[in-house]
Amino acid sequence: MPTAMNSLTARAVKGISYGLLSLLLFSATATAVGAEKLYIFTEKYPPYNDTFSGKAVAHNEEDITGICTDMVKAALARVDYDYMMKMRAWSYAYNWVQGRKNHALFCTAKTEERASQFQWVGPLASIQWTLFAAPDSDITLNSLNDAKDLQIAGYKGDVMSDYLTAKGFNVIMAASGEVNTRRLVLGQADLWVTDGLVGPLVAKKEFGVSGLKPVLTFRETPMYLAFSNETDPAIVADLQQALDEARAAGELERIVQRYQ
């Protein structure tokens, strides 16, 4: 029969063992959370996403800038996740992210068709769906239906291009949107569908073309940081909270002002 002292000692040892086990489990969990690495992709889409080098491909966050980029970085700075940011062609990034844990891309327009494909953090900025004509064009549109018989330059995976294609418009697809200024100038397309800020900026910066004519703005859509459905919802919630805090602190507004 054990003595009272032996019984007390046994309980003490048992308590220490439970304590050590709990500590080890907590440490393992903390390590797992801290070890989470995020893989974030974007495209060259100035002024929302761009590179300091001017190239359409970037391998690290130091070379990536722009309105949406700075907003995403502001949120990431408020959480304790390691991350990697790269710039690739949009169609590649859009397909690559889906189905992969801890993968995300921005700026992604959130539409009814896309709502279930991702987990969303935002909104960031908004895009103006705009049809542009060449500087010397005499095209005028009173409604979107007026463009039914015209050739429209777009690019693969772009929400505006996909929308028009689904509606039966004649959209000429490219791998990226940068070539579409040349298509307008050379008469290979009648119109170019892109964001109201992006079109003139790309035309001027990449090709020295000024005076693109915005003939119709037909929709506005908020853009988001979109995480794959395989990503832990707790990570998405952390990023949403971080973005909300950055917005409340006035940081997002200051980012927009820097690009005006």
Side-chain angles (χ1 to χ4, degrees), residues 105-123:
L105 74 161
F106 69 93
C107 294
T108 313
K110 184 178 181 180
T111 63
E112 184 178 346
E113 296 78 14
R114 288 178 171 177
S116 63
Q117 297 177 6
F118 299 97
Q119 300 182 76
W120 303 88
V121 174

PDB file of all heavy atoms in Angstrom, residues 105-123:
ATOM      1  N   LEU A 105      -3.940  35.134 -55.562  1.00  0.00           N
ATOM      2  CA  LEU A 105      -3.566  36.070 -56.617  1.00  0.00           C
ATOM      3  C   LEU A 105      -4.398  37.345 -56.496  1.00  0.00           C
ATOM      4  O   LEU A 105      -5.484  37.354 -55.923  1.00  0.00           O
ATOM      5  CB  LEU A 105      -3.727  35.454 -58.003  1.00  0.00           C
ATOM      6  CG  LEU A 105      -5.120  35.269 -58.598  1.00  0.00           C
ATOM      7  CD1 LEU A 105      -5.010  35.088 -60.112  1.00  0.00           C
ATOM      8  CD2 LEU A 105      -5.820  34.074 -58.004  1.00  0.00           C
ATOM      9  N   PHE A 106      -3.831  38.434 -57.031  1.00  0.00           N
ATOM     10  CA  PHE A 106      -4.490  39.739 -56.998  1.00  0.00           C
ATOM     11  C   PHE A 106      -4.026  40.529 -58.222  1.00  0.00           C
ATOM     12  O   PHE A 106      -3.018  40.182 -58.839  1.00  0.00           O
ATOM     13  CB  PHE A 106      -4.125  40.487 -55.702  1.00  0.00           C
ATOM     14  CG  PHE A 106      -2.684  40.938 -55.633  1.00  0.00           C
ATOM     15  CD1 PHE A 106      -2.307  42.213 -56.063  1.00  0.00           C
ATOM     16  CD2 PHE A 106      -1.679  40.090 -55.170  1.00  0.00           C
ATOM     17  CE1 PHE A 106      -0.988  42.641 -56.017  1.00  0.00           C
ATOM     18  CE2 PHE A 106      -0.355  40.502 -55.121  1.00  0.00           C
ATOM     19  CZ  PHE A 106      -0.014  41.773 -55.540  1.00  0.00           C
ATOM     20  N   CYS A 107      -4.708  41.643 -58.565  1.00  0.00           N
ATOM     21  CA  CYS A 107      -6.029  42.010 -58.090  1.00  0.00           C
ATOM     22  C   CYS A 107      -7.039  41.200 -58.901  1.00  0.00           C
ATOM     23  O   CYS A 107      -7.044  41.297 -60.117  1.00  0.00           O
ATOM     24  CB  CYS A 107      -6.302  43.470 -58.317  1.00  0.00           C
ATOM     25  SG  CYS A 107      -5.289  44.620 -57.376  1.00  0.00           S
ATOM     26  N   THR A 108      -7.905  40.484 -58.239  1.00  0.00           N
ATOM     27  CA  THR A 108      -8.877  39.621 -58.890  1.00  0.00           C
ATOM     28  C   THR A 108     -10.262  40.232 -58.760  1.00  0.00           C
ATOM     29  O   THR A 108     -10.717  40.512 -57.653  1.00  0.00           O
ATOM     30  CB  THR A 108      -8.874  38.219 -58.239  1.00  0.00           C
ATOM     31  OG1 THR A 108      -7.538  37.763 -58.099  1.00  0.00           O
ATOM     32  CG2 THR A 108      -9.672  37.241 -59.078  1.00  0.00           C
ATOM     33  N   ALA A 109     -10.907  40.437 -59.890  1.00  0.00           N
ATOM     34  CA  ALA A 109     -12.262  40.981 -59.856  1.00  0.00           C
ATOM     35  C   ALA A 109     -13.214  39.923 -59.312  1.00  0.00           C
ATOM     36  O   ALA A 109     -13.221  38.777 -59.771  1.00  0.00           O
ATOM     37  CB  ALA A 109     -12.698  41.407 -61.254  1.00  0.00           C
ATOM     38  N   LYS A 110     -14.006  40.305 -58.327  1.00  0.00           N
ATOM     39  CA  LYS A 110     -14.964  39.371 -57.730  1.00  0.00           C
ATOM     40  C   LYS A 110     -16.304  39.516 -58.435  1.00  0.00           C
ATOM     41  O   LYS A 110     -16.971  40.546 -58.353  1.00  0.00           O
ATOM     42  CB  LYS A 110     -15.123  39.649 -56.229  1.00  0.00           C
ATOM     43  CG  LYS A 110     -16.027  38.645 -55.523  1.00  0.00           C
ATOM     44  CD  LYS A 110     -16.115  38.931 -54.030  1.00  0.00           C
ATOM     45  CE  LYS A 110     -16.998  37.908 -53.323  1.00  0.00           C
ATOM     46  NZ  LYS A 110     -17.105  38.171 -51.866  1.00  0.00           N
ATOM     47  N   THR A 111     -16.672  38.484 -59.161  1.00  0.00           N
ATOM     48  CA  THR A 111     -17.942  38.468 -59.871  1.00  0.00           C
ATOM     49  C   THR A 111     -18.784  37.296 -59.373  1.00  0.00           C
ATOM     50  O   THR A 111     -18.302  36.416 -58.664  1.00  0.00           O
ATOM     51  CB  THR A 111     -17.721  38.310 -61.386  1.00  0.00           C
ATOM     52  OG1 THR A 111     -17.099  37.039 -61.639  1.00  0.00           O
ATOM     53  CG2 THR A 111     -16.836  39.428 -61.928  1.00  0.00           C
ATOM     54  N   GLU A 112     -20.035  37.282 -59.762  1.00  0.00           N
ATOM     55  CA  GLU A 112     -20.924  36.186 -59.365  1.00  0.00           C
ATOM     56  C   GLU A 112     -20.404  34.852 -59.864  1.00  0.00           C
ATOM     57  O   GLU A 112     -20.489  33.830 -59.170  1.00  0.00           O
ATOM     58  CB  GLU A 112     -22.329  36.456 -59.922  1.00  0.00           C
ATOM     59  CG  GLU A 112     -23.369  35.432 -59.497  1.00  0.00           C
ATOM     60  CD  GLU A 112     -24.757  35.758 -60.024  1.00  0.00           C
ATOM     61  OE1 GLU A 112     -24.965  36.904 -60.484  1.00  0.00           O
ATOM     62  OE2 GLU A 112     -25.619  34.860 -59.983  1.00  0.00           O
ATOM     63  N   GLU A 113     -19.844  34.864 -61.075  1.00  0.00           N
ATOM     64  CA  GLU A 113     -19.339  33.623 -61.653  1.00  0.00           C
ATOM     65  C   GLU A 113     -18.115  33.101 -60.908  1.00  0.00           C
ATOM     66  O   GLU A 113     -17.895  31.888 -60.821  1.00  0.00           O
ATOM     67  CB  GLU A 113     -18.977  33.847 -63.131  1.00  0.00           C
ATOM     68  CG  GLU A 113     -20.150  34.205 -64.033  1.00  0.00           C
ATOM     69  CD  GLU A 113     -20.594  35.665 -63.911  1.00  0.00           C
ATOM     70  OE1 GLU A 113     -19.835  36.476 -63.331  1.00  0.00           O
ATOM     71  OE2 GLU A 113     -21.688  35.986 -64.385  1.00  0.00           O
ATOM     72  N   ARG A 114     -17.304  33.982 -60.354  1.00  0.00           N
ATOM     73  CA  ARG A 114     -16.069  33.584 -59.690  1.00  0.00           C
ATOM     74  C   ARG A 114     -16.221  33.378 -58.183  1.00  0.00           C
ATOM     75  O   ARG A 114     -15.307  32.872 -57.537  1.00  0.00           O
ATOM     76  CB  ARG A 114     -14.990  34.658 -59.903  1.00  0.00           C
ATOM     77  CG  ARG A 114     -14.423  34.727 -61.303  1.00  0.00           C
ATOM     78  CD  ARG A 114     -13.422  35.861 -61.386  1.00  0.00           C
ATOM     79  NE  ARG A 114     -12.671  35.866 -62.637  1.00  0.00           N
ATOM     80  CZ  ARG A 114     -11.776  36.785 -62.961  1.00  0.00           C
ATOM     81  NH1 ARG A 114     -11.527  37.777 -62.119  1.00  0.00           N
ATOM     82  NH2 ARG A 114     -11.124  36.719 -64.118  1.00  0.00           N
ATOM     83  N   ALA A 115     -17.350  33.768 -57.618  1.00  0.00           N
ATOM     84  CA  ALA A 115     -17.489  33.851 -56.163  1.00  0.00           C
ATOM     85  C   ALA A 115     -17.114  32.560 -55.451  1.00  0.00           C
ATOM     86  O   ALA A 115     -16.469  32.582 -54.403  1.00  0.00           O
ATOM     87  CB  ALA A 115     -18.911  34.260 -55.800  1.00  0.00           C
ATOM     88  N   SER A 116     -17.495  31.414 -55.997  1.00  0.00           N
ATOM     89  CA  SER A 116     -17.248  30.136 -55.329  1.00  0.00           C
ATOM     90  C   SER A 116     -15.871  29.549 -55.639  1.00  0.00           C
ATOM     91  O   SER A 116     -15.485  28.540 -55.045  1.00  0.00           O
ATOM     92  CB  SER A 116     -18.327  29.120 -55.732  1.00  0.00           C
ATOM     93  OG  SER A 116     -18.271  28.860 -57.125  1.00  0.00           O
ATOM     94  N   GLN A 117     -15.136  30.172 -56.543  1.00  0.00           N
ATOM     95  CA  GLN A 117     -13.842  29.619 -56.960  1.00  0.00           C
ATOM     96  C   GLN A 117     -12.713  29.967 -56.004  1.00  0.00           C
ATOM     97  O   GLN A 117     -11.656  29.330 -56.032  1.00  0.00           O
ATOM     98  CB  GLN A 117     -13.489  30.123 -58.367  1.00  0.00           C
ATOM     99  CG  GLN A 117     -14.467  29.663 -59.432  1.00  0.00           C
ATOM    100  CD  GLN A 117     -14.129  30.241 -60.799  1.00  0.00           C
ATOM    101  OE1 GLN A 117     -13.107  30.897 -60.979  1.00  0.00           O
ATOM    102  NE2 GLN A 117     -14.994  30.001 -61.766  1.00  0.00           N
ATOM    103  N   PHE A 118     -12.917  31.003 -55.165  1.00  0.00           N
ATOM    104  CA  PHE A 118     -11.857  31.481 -54.282  1.00  0.00           C
ATOM    105  C   PHE A 118     -12.435  31.852 -52.923  1.00  0.00           C
ATOM    106  O   PHE A 118     -13.650  31.931 -52.735  1.00  0.00           O
ATOM    107  CB  PHE A 118     -11.172  32.720 -54.874  1.00  0.00           C
ATOM    108  CG  PHE A 118     -10.505  32.509 -56.199  1.00  0.00           C
ATOM    109  CD1 PHE A 118     -11.146  32.847 -57.385  1.00  0.00           C
ATOM    110  CD2 PHE A 118      -9.226  31.978 -56.268  1.00  0.00           C
ATOM    111  CE1 PHE A 118     -10.536  32.667 -58.608  1.00  0.00           C
ATOM    112  CE2 PHE A 118      -8.602  31.800 -57.481  1.00  0.00           C
ATOM    113  CZ  PHE A 118      -9.253  32.132 -58.654  1.00  0.00           C
ATOM    114  N   GLN A 119     -11.518  32.143 -51.987  1.00  0.00           N
ATOM    115  CA  GLN A 119     -11.839  32.811 -50.732  1.00  0.00           C
ATOM    116  C   GLN A 119     -11.288  34.236 -50.865  1.00  0.00           C
ATOM    117  O   GLN A 119     -10.146  34.424 -51.265  1.00  0.00           O
ATOM    118  CB  GLN A 119     -11.192  32.091 -49.553  1.00  0.00           C
ATOM    119  CG  GLN A 119     -11.641  30.645 -49.392  1.00  0.00           C
ATOM    120  CD  GLN A 119     -11.002  29.986 -48.189  1.00  0.00           C
ATOM    121  OE1 GLN A 119     -11.381  30.229 -47.052  1.00  0.00           O
ATOM    122  NE2 GLN A 119      -9.998  29.149 -48.438  1.00  0.00           N
ATOM    123  N   TRP A 120     -12.097  35.207 -50.478  1.00  0.00           N
ATOM    124  CA  TRP A 120     -11.812  36.587 -50.882  1.00  0.00           C
ATOM    125  C   TRP A 120     -11.381  37.460 -49.705  1.00  0.00           C
ATOM    126  O   TRP A 120     -11.972  37.426 -48.631  1.00  0.00           O
ATOM    127  CB  TRP A 120     -13.053  37.185 -51.523  1.00  0.00           C
ATOM    128  CG  TRP A 120     -13.527  36.382 -52.702  1.00  0.00           C
ATOM    129  CD1 TRP A 120     -14.391  35.325 -52.684  1.00  0.00           C
ATOM    130  CD2 TRP A 120     -13.129  36.554 -54.062  1.00  0.00           C
ATOM    131  NE1 TRP A 120     -14.573  34.831 -53.952  1.00  0.00           N
ATOM    132  CE2 TRP A 120     -13.818  35.565 -54.822  1.00  0.00           C
ATOM    133  CE3 TRP A 120     -12.280  37.449 -54.712  1.00  0.00           C
ATOM    134  CZ2 TRP A 120     -13.672  35.453 -56.203  1.00  0.00           C
ATOM    135  CZ3 TRP A 120     -12.133  37.336 -56.092  1.00  0.00           C
ATOM    136  CH2 TRP A 120     -12.815  36.351 -56.822  1.00  0.00           C
ATOM    137  N   VAL A 121     -10.349  38.276 -49.963  1.00  0.00           N
ATOM    138  CA  VAL A 121      -9.884  39.284 -49.013  1.00  0.00           C
ATOM    139  C   VAL A 121      -9.958  40.635 -49.717  1.00  0.00           C
ATOM    140  O   VAL A 121      -9.313  40.858 -50.740  1.00  0.00           O
ATOM    141  CB  VAL A 121      -8.437  39.002 -48.554  1.00  0.00           C
ATOM    142  CG1 VAL A 121      -7.928  40.151 -47.676  1.00  0.00           C
ATOM    143  CG2 VAL A 121      -8.364  37.672 -47.787  1.00  0.00           C
ATOM    144  N   GLY A 122     -10.723  41.549 -49.156  1.00  0.00           N
ATOM    145  CA  GLY A 122     -10.866  42.842 -49.807  1.00  0.00           C
ATOM    146  C   GLY A 122     -12.091  43.586 -49.292  1.00  0.00           C
ATOM    147  O   GLY A 122     -12.611  43.266 -48.231  1.00  0.00           O
ATOM    148  N   PRO A 123     -12.532  44.574 -50.084  1.00  0.00           N
ATOM    149  CA  PRO A 123     -12.018  44.914 -51.406  1.00  0.00           C
ATOM    150  C   PRO A 123     -10.732  45.736 -51.354  1.00  0.00           C
ATOM    151  O   PRO A 123     -10.411  46.344 -50.334  1.00  0.00           O
ATOM    152  CB  PRO A 123     -13.149  45.735 -52.011  1.00  0.00           C
ATOM    153  CG  PRO A 123     -13.805  46.376 -50.821  1.00  0.00           C
ATOM    154  CD  PRO A 123     -13.704  45.379 -49.700  1.00  0.00           C
TER     155      PRO A 123
END
